[in-house]
Amino acid sequence: MDGDGAADARAAELAAALDAVRARIARAAAEAGRADVPELIVVTKTHPAADVARLARLGVRDVGENRDQEARPKAAEVAEALGADAPRWHFIGQLQTNKAKLVVRYASAVHSVDRVELADALSRAVVLRREREDGGADGVPNLECLVQVDVDPRSDDERPEGIGPRGGASPEDASAIAERIAAVEGLALRGLMCVAPRGLDAEESFRRLARLGRDLRAAHPEADRLSMGMSGDLEAAVRAGATHVRIGSDVLGARGAVG
Ligand SMILES: *Cc1c(COP(=O)(O)O)cnc(C)c1O
């Protein structure tokens, strides 16, 4: 892995972009009258492990990835280079149940739990890992889980052409998924996540998630996270109460067609 040179132009570029994004988050929080500042998760998909290492040296503690195939080798490479200084990995993409065993080896959080079967698979995977590593809950902490909610109130017919499969559970299904996460071994229910649906007002969509979050917290006070806001809509998310924003391109630059 490169990135150790004193004249690392990429590190300087990332430092400047990171500063700008952090300033945007702080300004949005101040303008919204918030006493707290949301956490930044830098989404590193399509960018190499060397960039993750550079970000870690710049103080980034949390990174996000949306595909296991890409995240797994990257996390291994970063772990090898940085050891205990490696950032935490947040899994934020669609996840097949048969990948659960792989993801729990490197991820400390999954933001995209969108069905009960996935919660069950993640629980089994954490329990299995505890048995294998003989570490119990001390060695392998609970996996932090957020329920991904589809906050788009439009029916399939009302949605514009070309919007792919919706991400997330319906608000009606989300509470059953949350209850399952809270009930099973190895998982910690931490809150809700959404992606703003295209063609709708982002802030209104984020406020919808925030309302669902309030209802959830009434029964589960520890489920206090709202993961929402990307490069294009982070200010709207901060105004609506995001606790975690997931920023990719405004830190790392544009991605190719993938991702
Ligand atoms: C890629 C991605 C992001 C980051 O998007 P940017 O527009 O690059 O900031 C956030 N959340 C999810 C779920 C993503 O897949």
Side-chain angles (χ1 to χ4, degrees):
M1 200 183 304
D2 60 2
D4 288 322
D8 184 341
R10 177 64 171 157
E13 185 176 88
L14 291 177
L18 197 56
D19 279 351
V21 164
R22 285 184 174 139
R24 277 173 65 192
I25 296 170
R27 191 180 325 119
E31 282 174 7
R34 290 179 54 163
D36 64 326
V37 176
E39 303 270 341
L40 169 62
I41 298 169
V42 180
V43 179
T44 50
K45 65 188 184 200
T46 76
H47 296 282
D51 277 353
V52 180
R54 290 182 180 99
L55 290 166
R57 291 189 197 100
L58 293 167
V60 170
R61 299 302 310 143
D62 295 274
V63 295
E65 289 279 336
N66 68 340
R67 291 170 63 241
D68 169 68
Q69 214 180 323
E70 178 183 347
R72 194 164 7 118
K74 203 184 289 188
E77 202 179 326
V78 172
E80 178 137 345
L82 299 183
D85 294 330
R88 285 184 293 264
W89 296 85
H90 297 251
F91 195 85
I92 61 172
Q94 287 230 325
L95 182 54
Q96 295 168 276
T97 49
N98 62 7
K99 294 280 183 76
K101 274 204 280 299
L102 301 170
V103 167
V104 301
R105 286 190 212 148
Y106 58 87
S108 51
V110 175
H111 293 225
S112 44
V113 184
D114 58 0
R115 54 205 194 280
V116 166
E117 302 78 60
L118 180 58
D120 288 343
L122 289 167
S123 166
R124 280 194 302 274
V126 173
V127 169
L128 189 70
R129 201 182 145 204
R130 282 178 181 162
E131 285 166 8
R132 286 228 178 102
E133 299 180 12
D134 205 20
D138 292 336
V140 181
N142 283 341
L143 179 72
E144 299 183 331
C145 289
L146 287 78
V147 180
Q148 183 176 354
V149 183
D150 176 7
V151 292
D152 192 338
R154 297 170 295 187
S155 69
D156 289 339
D157 298 346
E158 290 169 323
R159 250 179 253 244
E161 276 310 296
I163 294 197
R166 35 169 99 201
S170 69
E172 296 73 38
D173 292 343
S175 49
I177 299 165
E179 291 306 325
R180 186 66 140 249
I181 292 168
V184 294
E185 203 179 328
L187 307 184
L189 176 66
R190 292 312 312 269
L192 303 177
M193 179 270 227
C194 77
V195 175
R198 275 197 285 156
L200 294 180
D201 182 78
E203 188 163 340
E204 213 171 284
S205 298
F206 294 143
R207 291 198 182 280
R208 195 165 295 129
L209 193 76
R211 282 194 297 276
L212 295 168
R214 268 194 296 278
D215 295 344
L216 181 63
R217 274 201 311 284
H220 299 281
E222 72 287 2
D224 57 359
R225 297 186 183 171
L226 291 174
S227 168
M228 55 191 196
M230 307 177 19
S231 294
D233 53 26
L234 88 82
E235 282 84 1
V238 173
R239 283 195 295 274
T243 65
H244 293 67
V245 293
R246 309 178 308 269
I247 311 299
S249 43
D250 279 0
V251 172
L252 287 139
R255 289 182 293 274
V258 196

